[in-house]
Amino acid sequence: MSTSTTTRSPSELARVLPPDVSAESFDAAIAAFAAILGAEWVHVEPGQVSVYDDEFPVTGDHSYTASAVVFPGSTAEVQQIVQVANEYLIPLHAISTGKNLGYGGAAPRVAGSVVVHVGKRLNKVLELNGKYGYALIEPGVTFFDLYNAIQDAGYPLWIDAPDLSWGSVVGNILDRGVGYTPYGNHSLWKSGLEIVLPDGDLLRTGMGGLPGSNTWQLFGPSFGPQPDNLFEQSNFGIVTKMGIQLMGAPPAAETFQITFENAEDLGTIVDIMLPLRINMAPLQNVPVLRNIFLDAAQVSERSDWYTGEGPIPDDIVEKMKADLGLGYWNFYGTVYGPPPVVEQYLQIIEAAFSQIPGAKFHTTQTRPHSDSDRGAHTLHDRHKINTGIPTVEEANLLNWIPDGAHMGFSPISAPDGADALRQFRMVKKRADSFSKDYAAQFIIGLREMHHISLLLYTKTDAQQRDDTLRLVHELIDEAAENGYGEYRAHHAWADQVAGTYSFNDNAQRRFNERIKDALDPNGILNPGKAGIWPARLRGRGL
Ligand SMILES: Cc1cc2nc3c(=O)[nH]c(=O)nc-3n(C[C@H](O)[C@H](O)[C@H](O)COP(=O)(O)OP(=O)(O)OC[C@H]3O[C@@H](n4cnc5c(N)ncnc54)[C@H](O)[C@@H]3O)c2cc1C
C-alpha cells in the first residue's frame, strides 16, 4: 500500500459506505470490530483508510475505495471479524501486504469494503525446516523476511522471488504470482493452507486435516479432493497460514544474457528455446525474454532518449541498443548444478542461440557489473533473483516516465514462435496507436509463456490513465477473439476477463458462483474479486 499518508485530496476524504449498509449499521459493525480487536486495530478515519487506495489508480473516482481497515492479531480474531461481517453484511477485502501493484494494490473491488490487513500483525515464520526444505508462514511474511530467516538459520535453502520482493509470499501465491528459479511456478510449491471460510469456519487443507500429522507441509493432497487452488484468484476464504516448499541451494549457478538484434527474431528465439526448456534442461529455471524498453527503463528515463510526440521512433531504438549494448530482445536464464554441468549447459545454450545472426552471449563473468556498462545492469539483477536473493531493482521501471504506474496486459501464449510473434504484433500495433511504448517480457514456463505487457502511464495525468484503461479493454477483446486469455487481472477488468472464458455459457463463471454461494451465502468476502460475484450483489453493476 501507499507509504504516503493519503493519495486523495482533502475534499475527497469523505466516508465511503458499502452497498446496502446504512451509516448506523456500519457504525455498529465498526464498534463490534473494535470490541474484538481493540480500537487501535480498527482504522476508520478517511486519512488513514486512503493509505489503502490503489497506488496505480485506473479511475478517477471512488470505485475501489475502502471504508475502514482492521488488523487481526490471530486466526480466532479473523474468524470473529468474519462473523461480524456476516451479521451486518459488510464486504471484507483480505490482503497480506497489499503490494499487488498493477492488479489493484491494496484496494477492494467493491467500494466501501473493509480491508482486512491480515499480514500487518500475522507476520511470523512459524516453522523453518532445514531437513525437508519448507517453511510454514503467516500472511505478512515478505520475501525479504523469509530470505533473512533462512540466512539466520544458516540452511542451504533458496526462496523464489518475483521481480520485486516488496510484497508477501502468501499474497503473491494467492494471486498466482510468478518467480524465476526452477521453483518459479509459485502455485505448485505451496503445501498446506489454513483458511478462515466466509462463514467463520476454519479449514486446514491436506495432511493438516489429520490431528497429530507431521506431514502437513510434505504432501499437499492427503485424501479426497484437494481444494487448495480454489483459494487462488478467488474469494472463497481468508488464508491465515501457508506451507511453502523451498529449493535446495545448488553447488553452483551462473546467469547468462543473450542479446538479439531484431524484433522479428522473436519467432526463431522461441522455437529454438522450446526443446531446451520443456525437458527442464539445459534451461532449468523460468527464463525471461525482455524487450529493449524494459531493460532501458532499468537504467534511464524515456526523456533521456526522446521527448517528441508518439511512440519512440525506430532510429532512437537503434541508438538505445547501441548505447546500452543490448538487443531488441534480451534473454536471461540461469543454470545450476556442479560446475562442470553448469559449464556444459551454458555451452549448449550458447551454441543453440548463436544460430540467430547477431546474437551475443554473455555471463556475469564475461559482462561484469560496472557503472560504465549500463546494459549489464539487468543481467546482474536477474542473477540475484534467479539465485534466490530478493531485490527491488525492477521498480526502476516506474521512473521511465514521470509519476509512473502501469496497467498489465498479460495473455498466455503457447511456447511457439508463430504465437509469440502474433501476440507481439497485436500488442505493439495497438500500443503504437495509443502512442505507448511496448515494454514487455515473455516469462517462460514449461509449456506456456506469460506475455507481460506493462502499459506505463503517468498516474497524475487523467487523460493518459483513461487512454491506458481503454487500451487494456481493447486488447483483452482482441486477444480473446484470437484465442488468447489473460492469466491475472486488475479489479477494473476482472469481469471482462472472466467473461472471455465463455465456453458453454460461461460454465467456469457459473461453477465459481455456485461455490461462492455455497460457502458465502451472505456474499461478504471480496465480492467481485476475479469476476466472482455472490448472489446478493450479482448483476448490480458495481
Ligand atoms: C514493476 C513490477 C514488477 C512486478 N513483478 C512481478 C513478478 O515478477 N511476479 C509477480 O508475481 N508479481 C509481480 N508484480 C506484482 C506484485 O508486486 C506482486 O505480485 C506482489 O508480490 C503481490 O503483493 P502482496 O504480496 O502484497 O499481495 P496482496 O496485495 O496482499 O494480495 C494479493 C492478492 O491476494 C489476495 N490475498 C492476499 N492475502 C490474502 C489472504 N491472506 N487471504 C485471502 N486472500 C488474500 C488479495 O485480495 C489480493 O487480491 C510486479 C509489480 C510491479 C509494479
Side-chain angles (χ1 to χ4, degrees):
M1 79 222 62
S2 172
T3 45
S4 63
T5 48
T6 177
T7 51
R8 284 182 248 162
S9 68
S11 62
E12 292 174 312
L13 287 176
R15 191 155 89 152
V16 179
L17 293 177
D20 307 335
V21 177
S22 67
E24 295 70 33
S25 226
F26 181 75
D27 288 341
I30 292 296
F33 289 142
I36 296 163
L37 303 176
E40 69 179 302
W41 299 118
V42 180
H43 288 183
V44 284
E45 289 304 320
Q48 296 172 309
V49 177
S50 64
V51 174
Y52 290 77
D53 287 352
D54 187 357
E55 279 183 66
F56 290 0
V58 300
T59 63
D61 58 21
H62 288 304
S63 302
Y64 309 107
T65 298
S67 58
V69 190
V70 295
F71 305 93
S74 67
T75 296
E77 287 184 356
V78 176
Q79 291 179 276
Q80 289 172 275
I81 289 168
V82 165
Q83 279 151 5
V84 170
N86 273 287
E87 190 178 337
Y88 294 96
L89 297 183
I90 305 288
L92 300 176
H93 171 64
I95 59 165
S96 287
T97 46
K99 295 297 288 183
N100 206 22
L101 303 197
Y103 305 106
R109 170 63 184 85
V110 167
S113 296
V114 171
V115 173
V116 185
H117 189 167
V118 192
K120 173 84 170 177
R121 296 167 69 199
L122 297 177
N123 56 14
K124 289 174 205 59
V125 176
L126 299 171
E127 184 190 354
L128 188 57
N129 191 304
K131 179 176 176 186
Y132 298 123
Y134 70 75
L136 178 66
I137 56 176
E138 292 183 324
V141 173
T142 66
F143 289 94
F144 280 102
D145 294 336
L146 185 55
Y147 174 80
N148 289 334
I150 293 169
Q151 301 312 304
D152 290 348
Y155 293 141
L157 296 172
W158 280 4
I159 63 162
D160 184 286
D163 280 334
L164 288 170
S165 279
W166 58 18
S168 67
V169 179
V170 169
N172 182 274
I173 292 178
L174 291 179
D175 213 31
R176 217 168 282 140
V178 291
Y180 305 95
T181 75
Y183 279 37
N185 181 348
H186 288 170
S187 177
L188 279 182
W189 301 99
K190 66 183 183 304
S191 51
L193 302 177
E194 179 184 87
I195 307 138
V196 174
L197 297 175
D199 62 357
D201 202 359
L202 188 64
L203 173 71
R204 284 188 175 179
T205 63
M207 303 306 291
L210 187 78
S213 161
N214 64 354
T215 53
W216 191 18
Q217 274 61 65
L218 301 183
F219 181 61
S222 74
F223 180 75
Q226 185 186 5
D228 300 49
N229 286 1
L230 286 176
F231 297 95
E232 289 173 5
Q233 294 194 359
S234 75
N235 46 16
F236 300 153
I238 299 180
V239 172
T240 46
K241 292 184 182 66
M242 181 185 282
I244 167 99
Q245 296 175 346
L246 301 164
M247 177 175 163
E254 177 58 306
T255 300
F256 62 85
Q257 173 194 55
I258 313 178
T259 63
F260 301 99
E261 276 299 303
N262 306 306
E264 295 286 320
D265 288 337
L266 175 64
T268 317
I269 300 167
V270 171
D271 286 337
I272 290 175
M273 187 267 312
L274 177 63
L276 308 181
R277 174 72 182 119
I278 198 165
N279 295 320
M280 298 162 83
L283 290 174
Q284 299 159 290
N285 74 318
V286 174
V288 289
L289 185 59
R290 298 161 60 98
N291 85 341
I292 181 71
F293 295 108
L294 214 50
D295 278 10
Q298 297 305 314
V299 291
S300 62
E301 296 175 11
R302 189 180 201 267
S303 58
D304 297 339
W305 306 99
Y306 185 64
T307 51
E309 296 290 310
I312 294 184
D314 289 348
D315 61 318
I316 304 287
V317 173
E318 290 307 311
K319 181 169 166 40
M320 288 163 66
K321 285 160 54 182
D323 285 7
L324 298 174
L326 292 170
Y328 184 89
W329 293 107
N330 302 287
F331 187 48
Y332 298 92
T334 300
V335 291
Y336 311 89
V341 171
V342 168
E343 197 50 44
Q344 200 175 12
Y345 280 178
L346 288 173
Q347 284 168 12
I348 297 170
I349 293 164
E350 180 175 9
F353 289 102
S354 296
Q355 297 169 51
I356 299 177
K360 294 190 185 66
F361 182 89
H362 309 277
T363 66
T364 63
Q365 299 301 306
T366 63
R367 195 169 187 181
H369 197 269
S370 134
D371 289 344
S372 60
D373 180 6
R374 292 185 295 166
H377 176 92
T378 300
L379 169 63
H380 289 269
D381 191 42
R382 298 318 301 181
H383 185 61
K384 281 191 189 156
I385 294 170
N386 294 358
T387 56
I389 300 171
T391 93
V392 287
E393 285 292 305
E394 186 77 5
N396 292 346
L397 169 73
L398 304 172
N399 300 325
W400 183 242
I401 52 172
D403 284 326
H406 70 72
M407 302 188 201
F409 171 67
S410 318
I412 295 295
S413 169
D416 173 80
D419 273 303
L421 268 175
R422 201 159 156 231
Q423 287 203 2
F424 157 66
R425 289 176 185 145
M426 174 184 80
V427 182
K428 169 108 176 34
K429 189 170 168 209
R430 216 168 261 273
D432 280 353
S433 74
F434 279 76
S435 295
K436 208 148 271 302
D437 300 330
Y438 167 74
Q441 64 177 331
F442 287 87
I443 299 174
I444 299 155
L446 286 175
R447 288 175 178 78
E448 57 76 35
M449 303 192 295
H450 290 32
H451 177 192
I452 312 283
S453 309
L454 298 172
L455 304 167
L456 288 154
Y457 64 103
T458 294
K459 59 186 172 189
T460 44
D461 181 329
Q463 186 66 48
Q464 273 198 39
R465 190 194 59 215
D466 294 350
D467 286 350
T468 312
L469 184 57
R470 197 153 51 85
L471 169 59
V472 172
H473 284 312
E474 287 183 17
L475 278 169
I476 292 166
D477 283 343
E478 184 178 0
E481 281 159 22
N482 287 283
Y484 301 126
E486 289 221 85
Y487 97 101
R488 191 170 173 184
H490 189 285
H491 303 314
W493 50 91
D495 286 332
Q496 185 187 4
V497 170
T500 62
Y501 289 84
S502 59
F503 168 75
N504 187 20
D505 190 22
N506 283 95
Q508 287 189 11
R509 176 155 53 197
R510 291 187 290 106
F511 178 78
N512 291 335
E513 287 172 352
R514 285 156 75 178
I515 297 174
K516 181 68 179 164
D517 292 342
L519 293 178
D520 188 7
N522 293 320
I524 54 102
L525 192 57
N526 270 327
K529 170 94 195 292
I532 307 167
W533 290 93
R536 181 168 71 89
L537 300 173
R538 205 169 289 150
R540 295 269 300 268
L542 291 170

